[in-house]
Amino acid sequence: MTCELTLRDVRSVARIVNLAHRFNCRTTHIQAAVGESTTSASFAFDGPAIALTRLRAQIDRILEYETVA
């Protein structure tokens, strides 16, 4: 699974990597670029299909929280 994300909080990069570890997914690629007010991040994960589905749901929650806050 790959994700191209725009994040407001640079700490979300670490949160996503930690979530992947909790869901027994392997992070195969991370690239992040910090701008003035946002962070562009690219991730690639490998793991069981159900774990990747759950991970994506949690990533979506992080993105939702960032747009509300």
Side-chain angles (χ1 to χ4, degrees):
M1 174 179 78
T2 60
C3 300
E4 299 285 332
L5 307 172
T6 301
L7 306 162
R8 285 189 354 197
D9 188 351
V10 70
R11 295 173 295 181
S12 293
V13 173
R15 288 184 188 109
I16 292 168
V17 171
N18 288 334
L19 278 172
H21 179 72
R22 274 192 248 156
F23 284 107
N24 294 318
C25 296
R26 190 169 53 97
T27 306
T28 58
H29 169 80
I30 304 170
Q31 183 176 356
V34 179
E36 287 188 31
S37 62
T38 62
T39 300
S40 298
S42 171
F43 299 92
F45 303 101
D46 189 25
I50 191 71
L52 291 172
T53 300
R54 290 177 179 160
L55 174 60
R56 184 61 214 205
Q58 291 300 315
I59 291 171
D60 290 342
R61 283 187 173 170
I62 289 172
L63 294 173
E64 182 180 316
Y65 176 77
E66 284 197 353
T67 58
V68 172

